[in-house]
Amino acid sequence: MNIFLYVKQRVSLLDVVMQHTKLKRAGSYFKGQCPFHQERTGSFTVSPDKGIFHCFGCQINGDVIAFVEKIEQCSALQAARLLAERYSIDVSQFNHVAPSSEDHGKKERYFITCTLFVQWCHEQLLKNSSVLAYLHKRGFSDEIIKQFALGYFPGGLASVQRLVRYCAKQQVLVEDLLNANILRRGNNVLYSAFEERLLFPITDVVGRYCAFGGRVLALKDKRPKYYNSRESNYFHKGSLLFGFNQAKKEIQQSEKVFLVEGYTDCLAMVQHGYKNTVATLGTACTKDHLALLARHATKLYVLYDADAAGHKAIMRLVNLCWQVDLELYVISLPDGDDPATYLLQHSSLDALIKQAKDIFSFVVQSVSADVANQSLRTKLSAIRTLLQQVAKINDPLKRELIADTAAQALDLSRSAILQELERCVVFDGKITASQTGNQPVLQEKTTKVSQFEINNIDKSLFSAIIHNVSYIKNSHVVTLVEYLPSFLKDTLLVLKSIVDQGDEVTFDVFYAKLTDEQQSYVNKTLLEVTDIIDEKMLDCLLLRFQKKRWKIIVNTLKKQIEQAKASGEHDVVLALLERFSELRRTSIVYKGVS
Ligand SMILES: [Zn+2]
């Protein structure tokens, strides 16, 4: 028998895979999201009877050794040895098989070094009554201190030397401590960035210690409050979550996960019974974080600090949650509280969990609060951004519900919002479809340009002026507005009347003077056009408009000139002639460039 067969017979593939993704029984096999490629539906299957896995999405398959090989990016032999160690299988009879490669040896040494460091720091903490007193004062029990193996690194060369001696007994050398970024060498003296810090050990998804977060304790300590291990081959902040390995079982069982911002928040949550809690490692939540959680849970509850930064972080999550299959809920804490301080006082979050808002109600509410006293234009632009997000929801009923809430909260017409939403949905569909093509960017551009050119120069000109009301002061603009269809022309002449009266031209003054019908058309226009139009683009629009209407413009002018001649108004004739030649000049320029 070889080592592979020996290990395979003693390890459950299901158990190994469940460390990385949640599986559900489906007949004689199990199904879940693939840990090797990102997907929203589960294409990954495991047959425990046959001891094999297969992904119908990325076509990866094999046995338990192949699974570990792939997930740990190691050789088959290394995978077998890793499994043997993790499941305490004695493989000494196979020791004649070639030893692990250099790189994997490095990897093993890294984890062993980290583990020793955790053990040593934990021992130091248990011996230090003032650090223990600090933790107790903050409400942390001895059980939680033990469960998370919290540690303390006393300061000074003597303690560094004690650590070095402790590790040396286990054949871990100074070199290993340096490689793991636990120690540093400066001026021939060894020191550590973790000295005089409370230590939060960080594990990877299968529970190996791979990094640390260190918090200063002394008030007079002026170093940054937190120091985290540097990124390495074995530690990526952007894809690891604090507490994940411990929370995994509970997350899979409840299909829910709580996401908090800090180590102490996570500890407080777990201590109060919310065992399915994880924390980001002093960085923003990434798509990788959410993808990891989506493989194990269906609902994500976010508990961020009730301050501007926390709020901002939640808004960033909105975009990400569409890319993974997770329902997002926001739990709002009272101002000034974080989960740890709140639990210290109330010892239960249940009341707040009941009031959790789904991310969209939360976003609609905060967007409306942000723009409550702003101009209509600001409101419309805020809601446009919002609707582009809402359009990504697959459930049409839910989309409509959110649009309703938005219309109410922002005091805008329901129909305009629904119309815009439908447009976003269609547009989003098109983009998604084109992304499967070879040149998505090019395709998107062509559609835009051709839409622009083929039709609606009138509409574009109208909306350009609506977006930049002061354009109406340009006499050329005023001339051409005369040739717009009467509804558009009448609306813009309201704008011109403001100029004629000598008042300052602002959008809000203009909007207030419009009829209901005009207002609703303006709303629609503002919602539809997302391009920013500058003076250059306006010039281009005017030229195109002029070219399209050239015959009508010329005939109208000729008629006006004849009339003025007949009634002997020489000044008017001269002004009209000048306008005529100006139009001709610009149209020649236009012909030149086209
Ligand atoms: Zn796959």
Side-chain angles (χ1 to χ4, degrees):
M1 185 178 285
N2 62 39
I3 185 169
F4 304 115
L5 209 59
Y6 189 80
V7 169
K8 238 165 87 171
Q9 286 173 352
R10 285 161 179 80
V11 170
S12 149
L13 170 65
L14 207 57
D15 190 61
V16 173
V17 174
M18 288 281 264
Q19 301 281 320
H20 300 273
T21 187
K22 182 185 166 72
L23 297 172
K24 280 185 178 167
R25 185 179 271 286
S28 64
Y29 60 97
F30 287 76
K31 215 174 154 180
Q33 284 186 29
C34 178
F36 301 112
H37 85 277
Q38 221 166 69
E39 59 175 358
R40 292 178 66 103
T41 49
S43 322
F44 189 82
T45 56
V46 173
S47 164
D49 303 339
K50 293 179 191 148
I52 51 167
F53 68 92
H54 181 87
C55 175
F56 291 93
C58 63
Q59 306 301 327
I60 280 181
N61 53 51
D63 59 11
V64 68
I65 305 282
F67 183 86
V68 174
E69 239 184 289
K70 176 81 189 155
I71 212 114
E72 297 284 345
Q73 312 219 346
C74 60
S75 73
L77 186 60
Q78 287 158 352
R81 289 191 179 281
L82 204 75
L83 283 169
E85 199 193 306
R86 202 176 293 160
Y87 290 91
S88 308
I89 302 163
D90 181 10
V91 288
S92 53
Q93 54 175 306
F94 303 103
N95 275 351
H96 59 279
V97 185
S100 305
S101 79
E102 177 64 16
D103 184 55
H104 197 63
K106 253 190 202 169
K107 193 172 178 176
E108 271 169 359
R109 290 199 78 79
Y110 180 86
F111 290 123
I112 291 169
T113 307
C114 289
T115 306
L116 278 180
F117 182 55
V118 170
Q119 284 168 359
W120 185 78
C121 287
H122 186 60
E123 279 174 22
Q124 308 311 307
L125 171 69
L126 296 182
K127 281 189 253 174
N128 191 314
S129 55
S130 63
V131 180
L132 277 175
Y134 165 85
L135 285 169
H136 291 152
K137 199 177 145 210
R138 296 215 34 189
F140 297 115
S141 66
D142 289 330
E143 290 76 44
I144 209 83
I145 292 171
K146 212 173 140 193
Q147 189 187 333
F148 281 87
L150 300 192
Y152 177 67
F153 193 156
L157 188 61
S159 68
V160 171
Q161 283 167 345
R162 276 195 293 128
L163 169 70
V164 170
R165 282 198 298 273
Y166 177 87
C167 291
K169 278 187 207 154
Q170 315 280 331
Q171 280 77 50
V172 167
L173 310 173
V174 169
E175 205 55 33
D176 298 312
L177 288 161
L178 289 168
N179 285 337
N181 280 312
I182 291 167
L183 292 185
R184 290 185 197 169
R185 205 193 291 276
N187 292 331
N188 290 326
V189 182
L190 290 172
Y191 71 99
S192 172
F194 293 108
E195 279 174 60
E196 292 180 13
R197 284 180 189 269
L198 179 62
L199 204 78
F200 297 91
I202 299 162
T203 58
D204 66 10
V205 290
V206 290
R208 291 173 297 199
Y209 291 113
C210 62
F212 319 94
R215 186 194 193 282
V216 292
L217 283 169
L219 279 172
K220 58 179 198 302
D221 197 330
K222 294 286 175 257
R223 293 176 300 172
K225 192 172 166 191
Y226 280 97
Y227 174 82
N228 280 321
S229 292
R230 289 185 200 160
E231 294 255 323
S232 71
N233 289 340
Y234 321 115
F235 172 53
H236 303 284
K237 285 178 201 173
S239 57
L240 267 192
L241 289 160
F242 180 72
F244 179 75
N245 181 57
Q246 302 218 29
K248 197 156 54 186
K249 260 220 169 88
E250 188 73 21
I251 294 172
Q252 290 190 352
Q253 272 162 17
S254 64
E255 300 198 0
K256 285 179 200 156
V257 56
F258 294 100
L259 178 68
V260 295
E261 277 181 304
Y263 306 117
T264 49
D265 290 335
C266 185
L267 295 186
M269 291 286 289
V270 173
Q271 186 174 313
H272 286 89
Y274 306 100
K275 290 181 182 161
N276 43 338
T277 303
V278 298
T280 42
L281 302 163
T283 53
C285 187
T286 65
K287 191 179 163 190
D288 285 346
H289 286 140
L290 292 186
L292 170 68
L293 293 175
R295 284 204 290 274
H296 301 269
T298 52
K299 285 183 179 153
L300 171 65
Y301 290 84
V302 183
L303 284 110
Y304 281 179
D305 291 359
D307 58 13
H311 193 262
K312 231 179 172 174
I314 291 172
M315 299 301 265
R316 262 201 308 266
L317 283 180
V318 182
N319 259 318
L320 293 173
C321 77
W322 297 112
Q323 302 171 35
V324 295
D325 197 15
L326 266 182
E327 290 170 46
L328 224 73
Y329 295 88
V330 179
I331 294 176
S332 299
L333 292 158
D335 276 352
D337 260 328
D338 59 38
T341 58
Y342 185 88
L343 283 168
L344 198 56
Q345 247 193 320
H346 302 85
S347 65
S348 168
L349 268 177
D350 294 357
L352 295 183
I353 294 171
K354 269 189 199 137
Q355 291 165 20
K357 288 193 192 80
D358 73 275
I359 189 100
F360 279 100
S361 307
F362 177 84
V363 170
V364 167
Q365 237 176 41
S366 38
V367 168
S368 1
D370 282 352
V371 298
N373 298 314
Q374 306 285 320
S375 68
L376 179 82
R377 226 171 114 185
T378 315
K379 274 190 194 178
L380 287 171
S381 127
I383 194 154
R384 191 185 300 132
T385 317
L386 177 67
L387 290 180
Q388 277 160 4
Q389 301 299 326
V390 178
K392 292 175 188 162
I393 303 176
N394 284 325
D395 181 354
L397 249 166
K398 188 159 188 201
R399 276 203 306 263
E400 218 169 289
L401 210 71
I402 292 164
D404 267 355
T405 322
Q408 261 176 18
L410 289 161
D411 196 21
L412 292 170
S413 111
R414 183 176 181 273
S415 60
I417 285 185
L418 280 177
Q419 218 170 357
E420 167 66 5
L421 182 58
E422 282 320 303
R423 203 185 66 85
C424 288
V425 172
V426 172
F427 187 61
D428 193 49
K430 266 186 199 156
I431 295 298
T432 316
S434 75
Q435 271 169 349
T436 56
N438 292 331
Q439 291 169 302
V441 180
L442 201 68
Q443 285 182 2
E444 190 193 339
K445 242 184 187 161
T446 330
T447 341
K448 258 193 185 161
V449 170
S450 58
Q451 261 179 4
F452 196 68
E453 280 176 349
I454 297 166
N455 60 33
N456 292 338
I457 305 277
D458 297 353
K459 215 170 162 186
S460 304
L461 180 59
F462 179 77
S463 81
I465 300 169
I466 296 286
H467 274 89
N468 304 272
V469 285
S470 58
Y471 284 167
I472 203 71
K473 289 181 188 160
N474 178 334
S475 68
H476 200 54
V477 173
V478 177
T479 309
L480 293 179
V481 161
E482 290 285 341
Y483 300 98
L484 278 169
S486 60
F487 179 77
L488 299 184
K489 180 176 111 181
D490 292 347
T491 309
L492 290 181
L493 288 180
V494 174
L495 197 52
K496 187 175 169 279
S497 74
I498 300 169
V499 182
D500 292 345
Q501 279 167 23
D503 293 337
E504 198 200 341
V505 203
T506 69
F507 181 83
D508 289 337
V509 171
F510 159 64
Y511 190 79
K513 291 192 175 197
L514 299 178
T515 64
D516 286 353
E517 196 189 359
Q518 287 171 333
Q519 281 187 351
S520 83
Y521 188 80
V522 166
N523 288 352
K524 204 173 144 262
T525 310
L526 286 176
L527 283 171
E528 269 175 10
V529 177
T530 49
D531 301 313
I532 295 165
I533 294 170
D534 59 8
E535 302 255 357
K536 239 186 186 168
M537 245 181 115
L538 180 75
D539 280 346
C540 175
L541 269 174
L542 288 173
L543 286 167
R544 287 178 184 183
F545 180 82
Q546 192 172 308
K547 191 190 172 195
K548 204 178 145 208
R549 295 286 164 98
W550 187 237
K551 264 189 188 157
I552 305 169
I553 293 171
V554 171
N555 288 338
T556 315
L557 269 176
K558 274 183 181 164
K559 236 180 235 166
Q560 284 172 345
I561 291 169
E562 272 162 28
Q563 275 171 6
K565 267 184 187 166
S567 54
E569 294 167 285
H570 289 293
D571 289 354
V572 178
V573 174
L574 283 178
L576 287 169
L577 280 171
E578 202 184 314
R579 194 180 283 182
F580 188 47
S581 61
E582 194 194 325
L583 284 172
R584 281 187 77 161
R585 262 204 312 278
T586 47
S587 86
I588 286 164
V589 173
Y590 180 68
K591 275 174 196 155
V593 293
S594 66

